[in-house]
């Protein structure tokens, strides 16, 4: 039945080649696969490392790792589509240059593509880890709650920080699904599983804050950034708090994996880069610094998991 649906959707897509072209242009702006592929793989590799702690076991699970990467990447797109739906009126007012607002692609077309991707996810999970469908289903249900803005539409956006945290909580359920995919029986008694879990949420939040640190010339009247809501200094302080809390958790993971001294030193360099970029941002408050913050946070996001992988080699 699922295969019939996939063939049906694919035949429609082939008939509408312009949609594929427009979707390609859309993803470059709003869902950059070339970047998200690295961030997704890094999280999955890190998760496998913490649970398996053995490079040979990791190599034995390459197929499952690929399944996890595909599902998580496609699910992230599902979150993006729901965000486009929720933010449609807001973006019409404050972000008229975005793909949907300027007519490149419509919400209905994105929903159509999202349904195909959801079917692909269900099919893959069904074939490789049927039990994980339960965890995936819970994750999907939470996304629907988020779509309706937690049934508090008139109040949800008033507290900017709480609203963003509730939306980022979708990664909480997605990570639980990922753990269930890796093991037939998750070792819930392992305290470092929880350390890794909180560390992941921390660095997702860190990247989210980094993406929403701007300067006055880049702000809009919608005030949809942390710098606009809290001011540059307070928003930067929030970034540093998230950085140091996440770093503390990551150091305990390095210790758990008996990592070498060189990996600790490399991690220290990553922290210094983050702090240095933020200090320059606060002092200069120039547009060029905004990109440096986002890039450095992205490097921190990916390279921390790379250090975890190197720890078991």
């Amino acid at each position: 039945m699922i295969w019939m649906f996939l063939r049906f959707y694919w035949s429609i897509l082939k008939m509408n080649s312009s949609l594929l072209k427009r979707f390609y242009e859309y993803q470059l702006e709003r869902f950059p696969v070339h970047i998200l592929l690295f961030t997704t793989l890094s999280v999955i590799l890190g998760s496998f490392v913490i649970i398996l702690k053995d490079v040979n076991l990791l190599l034995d699970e390459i197929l499952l790792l690929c399944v996890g990467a595909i599902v998580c990447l496609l699910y992230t797109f599902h979150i993006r589509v729901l965000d486009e739906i929720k933010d449609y009126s807001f973006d019409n007012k404050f972000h008229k240059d975005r793909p949907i607002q300027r007519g490149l692609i419509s919400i209905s077309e994105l929903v159509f593509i999202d349904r195909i991707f959801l079917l692909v996810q269900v099919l893959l999970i069904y074939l490789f880890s049927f039990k994980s469908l339960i965890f995936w289903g819970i994750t999907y249900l939470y996304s629907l709650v988020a779509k309706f803005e937690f049934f508090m539409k008139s109040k949800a956006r008033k507290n900017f920080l709480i609203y963003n945290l509730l939306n980022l909580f979708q990664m909480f359920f997605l990570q639980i699904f990922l753990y269930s995919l890796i093991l037939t029986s998750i070792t819930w008694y392992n305290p470092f599983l929880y350390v890794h879990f909180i560390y992941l949420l921390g660095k997702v939040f860190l990247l989210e804050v980094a993406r929403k640190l701007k300067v006055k010339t880049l702000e809009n009247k919608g005030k949809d950034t942390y710098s606009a809501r809290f001011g540059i200094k307070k928003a930067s302080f929030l970034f540093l708090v998230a950085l140091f809390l996440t770093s503390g958790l990551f150091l305990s993971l390095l210790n758990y994996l008996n990592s070498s001294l060189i990996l600790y030193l490399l991690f220290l360099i990553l922290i210094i880069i983050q702090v240095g970029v933020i200090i320059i941002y606060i002092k200069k408050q120039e547009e060029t610094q905004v990109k440096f913050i986002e890039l450095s946070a992205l490097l921190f996001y990916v390279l921390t998991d790379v250090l975890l992988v190197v720890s078991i080699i």
Side-chain angles (χ1 to χ4, degrees):
M1 180 64 71
I2 295 176
W3 180 245
M4 290 176 61
F5 275 115
L6 289 174
R7 289 184 62 186
F8 171 72
Y9 276 117
W10 179 246
S11 65
I12 295 177
L13 276 174
K14 285 199 298 183
M15 288 188 293
N16 193 353
S17 59
S18 69
L19 174 57
L20 292 176
K21 182 180 179 181
R22 288 183 287 113
F23 175 68
Y24 174 77
E25 293 177 16
Y26 167 84
Q27 64 83 26
L28 288 175
E29 291 185 48
R30 300 291 285 160
F31 190 76
V33 174
H34 60 289
I35 294 175
L36 290 167
L37 185 60
F38 284 105
T39 57
T40 302
L41 279 174
S42 70
V43 168
I44 292 169
L45 279 170
S47 300
F48 272 66
V49 165
I50 291 299
I51 290 178
L52 301 176
K53 289 188 67 178
D54 188 311
V55 69
N56 293 319
L57 291 175
L58 180 63
L59 293 174
D60 289 340
E61 299 293 349
I62 288 295
L63 183 59
L64 201 58
L65 189 150
C66 292
V67 170
I70 294 171
V71 171
C72 288
L73 184 63
L74 296 183
Y75 192 85
T76 305
F77 175 74
H78 171 66
I79 294 174
R80 163 52 59 200
V81 173
L82 295 186
D83 284 344
E84 296 283 18
I85 295 171
K86 288 186 298 181
D87 298 339
Y88 181 70
S89 297
F90 182 88
D91 289 345
N92 281 343
K93 189 174 181 181
F94 299 110
H95 296 286
K96 296 180 180 180
D97 60 330
R98 287 183 174 172
I100 292 175
Q101 281 60 44
R102 67 174 191 267
L104 175 65
I105 197 167
S106 68
I107 287 180
S108 60
E109 289 172 324
L110 288 176
V111 169
F112 171 76
I113 295 172
D114 182 42
R115 286 174 180 171
I116 298 175
F117 288 167
L118 288 172
L119 284 172
V120 171
Q121 291 175 68
V122 171
L123 179 61
L124 284 173
I125 299 168
Y126 175 80
L127 292 175
F128 290 94
S129 182
F130 181 74
K131 66 176 179 58
S132 296
L133 270 177
I134 297 173
F135 295 96
W136 183 90
I138 294 172
T139 307
Y140 178 73
L141 288 175
Y142 186 83
S143 75
L144 297 182
V145 174
K147 175 185 177 182
F148 293 102
E149 302 199 323
F150 312 99
F151 305 105
M152 300 182 295
K153 191 169 184 178
S154 61
K155 300 178 181 179
R157 292 177 185 264
K158 288 184 178 180
N159 192 314
F160 188 74
L161 181 59
I162 298 299
Y163 177 74
N164 283 319
L165 286 174
L166 286 173
N167 278 294
L168 286 175
F169 212 61
Q170 294 184 70
M171 305 310 294
F172 171 98
F173 294 102
L174 188 60
Q175 187 61 30
I176 293 293
F177 155 76
L178 186 56
Y179 289 145
S180 74
L181 188 68
I182 299 171
L183 291 178
T184 53
S185 178
I186 297 178
T187 51
W188 296 107
Y189 57 82
N190 183 356
F192 286 97
L193 187 66
Y194 298 96
V195 173
H196 178 257
F197 184 66
I198 300 170
Y199 144 75
L200 281 177
L201 294 180
K203 73 172 186 174
V204 169
F205 179 67
L206 184 72
L207 186 58
E208 172 69 10
V209 175
R211 288 177 55 249
K212 295 181 178 180
L213 288 178
K214 305 293 183 185
V215 292
K216 289 184 178 179
T217 54
L218 297 176
E219 301 285 12
N220 61 65
K221 294 180 180 179
K223 292 186 176 183
D224 54 350
T225 64
Y226 286 96
S227 49
R229 292 295 182 114
F230 305 131
I232 286 177
K233 289 185 178 180
K234 288 183 179 179
S236 298
F237 177 74
L238 179 63
F239 177 90
L240 290 174
V241 169
L243 172 66
F244 290 128
L245 288 177
T246 304
S247 297
L249 293 167
F250 183 75
L251 286 172
S252 67
L253 293 177
L254 287 180
N255 186 59
Y256 171 65
L257 296 173
N258 298 314
S259 303
S260 62
L261 178 61
I262 186 66
L263 297 184
Y264 285 92
L265 293 175
L266 289 173
F267 180 59
L268 178 61
I269 292 172
L270 285 178
I271 296 176
I272 293 172
I273 291 172
Q274 306 302 306
V275 175
V277 169
I278 283 293
I279 290 174
I280 295 172
Y281 164 70
I282 294 173
K283 288 186 175 180
K284 292 190 174 182
Q285 298 185 23
E286 297 175 351
E287 291 185 17
T288 53
Q289 302 307 319
V290 172
K291 285 296 180 183
F292 280 121
I293 292 173
E294 190 171 345
L295 179 60
S296 66
L298 186 62
L299 287 174
F300 182 89
Y301 189 99
V302 174
L303 292 181
T304 47
D305 283 318
V306 171
L307 292 180
L308 292 180
V309 176
V310 173
S311 294
I312 65 168
I313 294 178

